[in-house]
Amino acid sequence: MVQSHGFLLLFSPDSLSSPFRPRKAGGGKPLDHEVPIHVVTEPSQLPAEFLNPSAAKQLIIGFDCEGVDLCRHGTLCVMQLAFPDAIYLVDAIKGGESLIRACKPALESSHITKVIHDCKRDSEALYFQFGIKLHNVVDTQIAYSQIEEQEGRTRLPDDYISFVGLLADPRYCGISYLEKEEVRVLLRQDPMFWTYRPLSEMMIHAAADDVRFLLCIYYKMMEKLNQRSLWYLAVRGVLYCRCFCINENDYADWPHIPPIPDNLIIEDNAPEEEILSVLDVPPGKMGRVIGRRGASILSVKESCKAEIFIGGAKGPTDKVFIVGPVKQVRKAEAMLRGKMLDIF
């Protein structure tokens, strides 16, 4: 049973019958607990410490966005905020632009850590649609890769952990989230799924479950990451937030990239500066860059210790984004430019 009190909905594990509840891997009892889920349509319904960030009140929250083909053009419909004692579903459809802009100080604040899984497209949507420069993120997809590398495991190019895969990993949650695929099927059948109002029980559960466990995962990851990995995590978070947010001033108005800490510089194998490079691809050349079945760009990824992204269907369709150590990024640039050359 779902009880509604204005904008507050309480979900009890004993009374809730919805199938949208992650379970222990192996089909055990659902792992959630009674948690208030606030559907927000007015800024006043959000915590004051979120709306007015302060160094005296540092916050760590889970964060995600849902929408229609979410990117610079796709519609942002719901923004999820997971606090230790509540989940807030910020309804961008009913609350409108003024509600999302009221969240701008918090989303740009260094006093509020936003824990998210794969920040790139969410950041792009916030930047182009609302002028928000998402800052101070801990991206669990990046953190997972750093921990794997730190512990000596090799990740193949393009082998990025999905959120479902992360939840299933017993080191972090060990829960099954097969219902996520059910939501994806619904989205394929009706891409406008997130625009419908009022939010259905299914929609509320799906949105809440995407952030419900992020804080738990965050604390477990922080216990594993060493100082070097923490620096990489901070730098990659900044660069990934910028990734698809191309502007005219080379990101001059974005938050600075964290410098290499002094304690890492004195090491024999001090890390190299990390950068984001945006490579323009001439008309008609993207096919050469990608190659048949992705073989061309995969060969570059295998040769360089850098992350390489293309806009794909969501765009931008004429650019390649490269993130990594300076020398590896320059190497990738040279190889990609070589793929664009006309050979007679």
Side-chain angles (χ1 to χ4, degrees):
M1 178 179 181
V2 179
Q3 298 176 339
S4 178
H5 305 283
F7 68 96
L8 171 63
L9 299 108
L10 296 176
F11 292 92
S12 166
D14 296 323
S15 63
L16 189 57
S17 59
S18 170
F20 287 85
R21 301 174 64 213
R23 296 174 176 269
K24 288 182 182 178
K29 183 180 178 181
L31 293 182
D32 61 353
H33 54 280
E34 185 172 304
V35 55
I37 301 177
H38 306 263
V39 178
V40 175
T41 57
E42 299 287 343
S44 60
Q45 296 168 327
L46 287 166
E49 61 267 30
F50 174 79
L51 293 173
N52 303 288
S54 167
K57 185 66 175 178
Q58 303 276 338
L59 299 177
I60 301 171
I61 64 171
F63 179 75
D64 191 26
C65 296
E66 308 293 350
V68 180
D69 199 23
L70 200 60
C71 59
R72 67 186 60 199
H73 305 298
T75 304
L76 175 66
C77 299
V78 179
M79 189 168 67
Q80 303 104 291
L81 311 171
F83 288 72
D85 56 354
I87 294 173
Y88 296 84
L89 305 183
V90 181
D91 190 341
I93 298 296
K94 293 195 72 174
E97 183 174 337
S98 61
L99 175 59
I100 302 302
R101 290 195 182 278
C103 299
K104 177 181 171 75
L107 298 180
E108 294 186 343
S109 175
S110 59
H111 305 312
I112 300 179
T113 300
K114 280 71 68 173
V115 184
I116 184 173
H117 190 83
D118 191 3
C119 64
K120 295 187 293 296
R121 290 298 184 184
D122 290 16
S123 179
E124 181 187 21
L126 290 167
Y127 179 65
F128 284 103
Q129 295 179 38
F130 303 100
I132 295 172
K133 305 177 188 72
L134 187 61
H135 178 53
N136 195 23
V137 305
V138 169
D139 191 319
T140 54
Q141 190 174 72
I142 302 171
Y144 183 91
S145 295
Q146 286 302 130
I147 292 169
E148 292 296 285
E149 182 176 329
Q150 182 181 295
E151 296 181 351
R153 287 180 284 274
T154 302
R155 179 177 65 83
L156 298 174
D158 290 340
D159 184 21
Y160 301 105
I161 188 74
S162 69
F163 186 56
V164 172
L166 178 60
L167 286 176
D169 192 319
R171 293 174 296 173
Y172 303 108
C173 275
I175 63 174
S176 172
Y177 193 9
L178 299 178
E179 294 84 359
K180 181 74 170 177
E181 183 55 34
E182 295 181 40
V183 176
R184 289 183 178 138
V185 170
L186 290 173
L187 284 168
R188 286 193 291 269
Q189 294 172 346
D190 185 358
M192 304 303 290
F193 175 80
W194 287 111
T195 66
Y196 300 129
R197 296 297 180 272
L199 290 168
S200 67
E201 181 180 323
M202 176 189 297
M203 295 166 78
I204 289 170
H205 271 284
D209 285 344
D210 275 355
V211 294
R212 186 186 303 275
F213 299 102
L214 282 173
L215 293 183
C216 174
I217 293 170
Y218 166 82
Y219 288 112
K220 290 184 178 181
M221 286 182 160
M222 290 301 105
E223 292 176 355
K224 294 175 178 289
L225 290 161
N226 61 29
Q227 288 300 308
R228 189 185 186 95
S229 294
L230 286 169
W231 175 74
Y232 274 115
L233 177 61
V235 170
R236 291 285 173 103
V238 171
L239 296 177
Y240 278 38
C241 280
R242 295 182 180 191
C243 187
F244 295 128
C245 302
I246 308 162
N247 62 18
E248 299 294 331
N249 61 5
D250 196 28
Y251 305 102
D253 56 340
W254 280 70
H256 71 278
I257 298 171
I260 302 172
D262 291 341
N263 63 322
L264 296 182
I265 293 176
I266 61 175
E267 295 180 0
D268 293 336
N269 60 338
E272 187 179 356
E273 178 190 359
E274 298 250 326
I275 61 171
L276 163 66
S277 173
V278 182
L279 192 63
D280 291 315
V281 179
K285 303 293 185 179
M286 187 59 81
R288 292 188 181 183
V289 169
I290 297 173
R292 180 173 295 181
R293 296 183 179 178
S296 180
I297 197 166
L298 180 60
S299 68
V300 178
K301 293 177 179 180
E302 291 173 338
S303 300
C304 305
K305 192 175 175 59
E307 306 295 337
I308 303 174
F309 307 103
I310 57 174
K314 292 184 177 182
T317 57
D318 61 345
K319 300 186 188 302
V320 177
F321 303 86
I322 313 168
V323 176
V326 176
K327 292 179 182 177
Q328 294 299 315
V329 169
R330 299 305 179 215
K331 179 180 177 181
E333 287 174 342
M335 294 182 70
L336 289 167
R337 287 194 176 100
K339 304 284 185 185
M340 303 176 204
L341 294 176
D342 291 312
I343 301 176
F344 299 97

